Structures are given as C-alpha cells and as structure tokens.
Amino acid sequence: MAKSPPWGLKWRSSTLFIVSTVGIGLFTDLFLYGIIVPILPYLLVNRIHLSHDQIQSHVSGLLAVYAGASVLFSPPAGIVADRLSNSRQLPFLLGLIALLLATLLLFLGQSIAVLVFARVLQGISAAVVWTIGLALVLDTVGPERLGSTVGSIFGFISIGELAAPVLGGVVYKKAGYGGVFGMGLALLAVDFIMRILLIEKKVAARYGLLDAGEDGNSSQEQDRDQENQGGQDGHEEEQPLIRKQEVDQYKIPEVRAKAVRLFPIIYCLKDPRLLTALLLALVQATLLATFDATIPTVGQEYFGFTSLEVGLIFIALALPLVIGGPLAGWLVDKRGPKPAAVFGFGYLVPALILLRLARPGGTHQIVVYCALLALNGVGMAVIGSPSVVDASYVVQMYDKANPDFFGANGPYAQLYGLNSMVFSAGLSLGPILSGGLKDVLGYGNMNLVVTYRLIL
C-alpha cells in the first residue's frame, strides 16, 4: 500500500520554498557570524577582562578559528552530500543544530576556550550550510538557472551582511548581550522550522508530484537523462551543451588512485580555469575578513566609537554590496565572469590604497572613512559572483562529459565544499595577516601591503 503524501507536499517541495529555505539558511549563517563582529572587542574586555593591547589579536584569532573549522569540514560535507542519494535534508538540519549550540556557548561563555569552541561549531555549521545548501539549489533549479538563482540568493543574504553588524551594535547598546543573542535565537527558530518543512524535489516525485517535468525528476536528473538519450530521436540539437570537439578536453581517463575515487573533484583541479576561480574566491574572502577584523578596532581607536557606532559604520561597506551585488551577478550571466573579475580586482587596487587617507579625528574624518569604505564596497560587489559561476561551469563540463565518473548526484556538492574550504581559508588568513600587520605597521601601511598582495 502506497504511503499517503505528506501535508503541504506541493508548496513544501516548490522551487520557491526550497530556494527560500536555502537563502534563509545562508542568511542565518552570515547574520550570526556578523552579529558578533562589532561587539567582540567589548565582550573580550567586559566579560573576559582582557587588556586593550590584547584585543586586536584575540578578535582576529576568533574570526580565524571560525574560518579554520570551515576549511577542515567543507570537503567532508561535500563528499557526504554527493553520496547521499536519498536526501540532503538530514545533514542540512545537523548543521543548524551545531549553529544553535555555538550561539548558546557564545552567549554563556566566560573564557577564551569556550568562545573558541563556539566559533569552531559555527565554522562546522557554515561548512554544512554552504556546501549542502548550494548543492540543494542545483538539484532544484538545474545548472542552466544556477547563476541567476545564486545571484538572487547572494543579493538577499547581503542584507544579512549589512544588518548583522548594525543590529548587533544597536541591540547591544540598548539591551546588552541578552538582546543580541535573543535576536539570533529567534532567527534560528525560523530557520529550523523551514528546514524541517522542506521536501526535496526527488522526494516529492515518489508521491507522484510531477513538478519539474513529465517524469518528475529534478532539473539535474533531467539533464543527465537528456545527455544519455543524445541523438536518439534522429537529429541533434542545434546547440548541444557540450560540442563533440569539447568532449575530449573534459574526458577523464580511467582513474585508479584511491584519493580521486573518494573525492572525484580532485581530478578537475588539473584545469587551470578552475584553479583560477578558486584563487579568486580565496582573495575575495581574505579581503572580506580584513574588513571584518579591522573596521571595529579602527572605529574604536580612531573615533572613540561605541558598539552601536561601530555597527553603523559597516553600512558604508555593505550598502554597495546589497545594491550592486545582484546587478553585478546579472552582468556576469550576460557577459561572462572574466570581464567582471578583471574590472573588480583592478578597481580595488586604488580603492584599497585610498584607505591610507583614514586618520583619527572628528566628523570630517568619519565621513572620509565611510566614503572610502563605500568605494571598496563597490569593488567587493563586482567580485562577488565571478568565481563561483566560473567554477560551476568548468565542473559542469566535466560532469556532462563523464556522467558515470561522478555518481548519480554529480560532483557539485564537492565543488561547493572545495569552494567553501578555499573561501574559509581566506577568512582565516585575512584576520591573522591584517591584525598582525595593523599592530606592527599601522592601519594605513597595512592596507598598502594588502594591495600589494592583491596585485600579486
């Protein structure tokens, strides 16, 4: 006897609900990562009782611990996601539980050790939500709509990057630590409910809900079926996804290495285009982490800002991301990732150098610093999508040319796990390098060294 379909099957498995759930998950991860940034210096002084000369190194260290944990756990998350043929929902939920525990420990922790452990749990959660979440999006919309869908999600979660430091500073000023973490727990509750309700397309198809196509398969599965059927109807498509002359370029010979069989995406790393895309992600993350690590201390040291004012100054950097991110992603879809990457990174060279103009002072210097941050925000918006779009394209070509090599789900979760690992490595390096350079050389000279690294 067939099982009766779950309640609300149609809307719970709809593309809109699945993409929204992943978007909320990524938003929650970024929000809870960013909400602690403006209050970390005050937490370390008021609760842990560190001296002021120890603050920058500990702020940078706590940011780096989060990223380091994500580096270690992203590849395993990708392997697990690609090998789970039944459902990606369980590991998606486990990642949220890790985030809940991390939030509680950050609220209750009274020592550096507890705070470090909490940031490790946050890093594990980030590895899971970014790796499995993006793979779930691909399962739902297919590779043809991946760029525009990811662009829309990134535009939405940029609001989290903007809102988290601002709200963290505002709520801490008005309601203290309890208010800040209460806000985080409320967002976690919404995220948990949506992840519980989610039903994947392939699960819905078992109950006869043929949403994606006549056979009820997900978009990704339909693409694979079309590849296997190629030319059986007596004529070929006018513009096939992979032209015959391209097949040899992406064809993978028989591989016996155990490491490649366990983690097949490793073979794709022979492609210089994929390596370049991952390098761009590393540089992007390093720059983001540099801003996260230095803006709070610069606001405190140069302008005597409170936590509220430190949170508000993040608006100058994040607002261009919110406005420009979706537009830049649309242009990448239309013109390709290379022009955007060349322009974005080239633009950031003078923008970063101009940060040397920041000086301690009053209102005039605050306006100058905010204007300089906004200029850098424009550049960060432009470089936000080229790396992931280009990497996805390369791996899609390998998958289409070798459908049996990567398994039923393809190598996409492994790709996003690898991308998350590289991005997290940048988040780890950024605070350590920028914090140390700022302490030794000062803020202006630190930005000069960061620019030099960007040029290289």
Side-chain angles (χ1 to χ4, degrees):
M1 183 176 179
K3 294 182 179 180
S4 59
W7 166 80
L9 175 64
K10 186 173 183 180
W11 66 264
R12 289 169 63 186
S13 63
S14 67
T15 298
L16 177 61
F17 185 76
I18 293 173
V19 172
S20 298
T21 300
V22 174
I24 289 293
L26 298 179
F27 179 94
T28 302
D29 175 71
L30 280 179
F31 188 88
L32 292 179
Y33 169 80
I35 202 174
I36 195 70
V37 170
I39 68 172
L40 262 182
Y42 307 94
L43 186 150
L44 292 172
V45 170
N46 299 330
R47 186 187 297 178
I48 311 299
H49 308 297
L50 296 181
S51 61
H52 285 282
D53 60 348
Q54 296 177 298
I55 298 303
Q56 179 65 72
S57 61
H58 281 80
V59 167
S60 298
L62 287 171
L63 293 175
V65 164
Y66 163 91
S70 187
V71 167
L72 292 175
F73 284 90
S74 290
I79 294 173
V80 170
D82 278 339
R83 292 180 183 273
L84 286 177
S85 58
N86 294 327
S87 175
R88 303 193 196 273
Q89 187 179 28
L90 178 60
F92 205 40
L93 282 170
L94 292 177
L96 185 63
I97 293 173
L99 186 56
L100 173 62
L101 291 175
T103 304
L104 291 173
L105 288 175
L106 284 171
F107 175 50
L108 300 173
Q110 298 290 330
S111 68
I112 289 294
V114 173
L115 296 183
V116 167
F117 182 61
R119 296 297 278 178
V120 168
L121 288 176
Q122 272 192 313
I124 294 173
S125 173
V128 171
V129 70
W130 283 90
T131 300
I132 297 181
L134 289 176
L136 187 56
V137 168
L138 180 65
D139 291 344
T140 303
V141 304
E144 290 77 13
R145 290 191 291 160
L146 180 64
S148 58
T149 303
V150 169
S152 299
I153 290 176
F154 280 11
F156 167 68
I157 65 178
S158 294
I159 300 173
E161 292 181 290
L162 167 64
V166 176
L167 290 177
V170 170
V171 174
Y172 175 73
K173 181 71 174 180
K174 301 297 182 182
Y177 298 114
V180 172
F181 290 102
M183 180 171 56
L185 290 172
L187 184 58
L188 280 169
V190 174
D191 190 5
F192 179 77
I193 291 170
M194 293 187 71
R195 294 197 203 191
I196 283 287
L197 291 175
L198 182 145
I199 297 177
E200 297 173 60
K201 294 281 188 185
K202 56 189 175 184
V203 175
R206 299 171 193 164
Y207 296 95
L209 185 62
L210 308 183
D211 176 74
E214 291 183 0
D215 60 355
N217 289 341
S218 69
S219 298
Q220 186 70 4
E221 288 169 334
Q222 290 183 59
D223 290 338
R224 288 173 175 273
D225 290 343
Q226 290 170 8
E227 283 294 312
N228 292 334
Q229 293 171 1
Q232 290 183 4
D233 58 356
H235 65 276
E236 295 186 4
E237 297 177 2
E238 293 183 4
Q239 293 182 336
L241 187 59
I242 295 185
R243 296 177 177 86
K244 291 183 181 300
Q245 60 266 31
E246 294 178 320
V247 172
D248 290 341
Q249 179 183 353
Y250 294 100
K251 201 70 178 176
I252 298 175
E254 183 178 354
V255 178
R256 299 184 183 277
K258 184 176 181 181
V260 176
R261 293 200 304 271
L262 176 65
F263 197 37
I265 194 70
I266 290 176
Y267 189 89
C268 301
L269 293 177
K270 296 175 64 176
D271 194 303
R273 186 171 176 181
L274 177 58
L275 291 175
T276 301
L278 293 173
L279 177 61
L280 294 183
L282 177 70
V283 175
Q284 177 193 0
T286 303
L287 291 175
L288 280 172
T290 296
F291 287 119
D292 278 343
T294 57
I295 288 176
T297 54
V298 169
Q300 191 179 39
E301 294 169 4
Y302 280 25
F303 313 120
F305 277 174
T306 64
S307 61
L308 169 58
E309 292 162 331
V310 167
L312 290 173
I313 205 172
F314 272 92
I315 294 177
L317 179 69
L319 190 58
L321 283 170
V322 174
I323 299 173
L327 176 61
W330 178 80
L331 290 174
V332 167
D333 282 340
K334 293 296 182 182
R335 301 295 182 184
K338 185 175 181 178
V342 171
F343 172 79
F345 284 102
Y347 168 91
L348 278 169
V349 170
L352 286 166
I353 292 175
L354 286 173
L355 284 171
R356 286 173 54 82
L357 299 176
R359 296 287 186 274
T363 302
H364 175 71
Q365 287 299 326
I366 294 172
V367 171
V368 169
Y369 187 53
C370 287
L372 296 175
L373 289 177
L375 288 176
N376 281 272
V378 172
M380 296 303 296
V382 175
I383 68 172
S385 56
S387 62
V388 68
V389 171
D390 211 28
S392 298
Y393 172 79
V394 172
V395 171
Q396 178 188 345
M397 298 295 276
Y398 275 104
D399 186 32
K400 294 297 182 181
N402 308 274
D404 297 327
F405 180 76
F406 295 104
N409 290 325
Y412 299 99
Q414 295 171 59
L415 169 64
Y416 299 134
L418 193 62
N419 187 79
S420 176
M421 181 185 73
V422 171
F423 198 86
S424 297
L427 292 179
S428 180
L429 289 173
I432 294 174
L433 295 176
S434 61
L437 289 171
K438 177 176 172 291
D439 286 341
V440 174
L441 303 177
Y443 183 62
N445 290 328
M446 179 213 77
N447 284 295
L448 192 61
V449 175
V450 169
T451 306
Y452 177 73
R453 295 198 338 252
L454 179 62
I455 295 173
L456 292 180

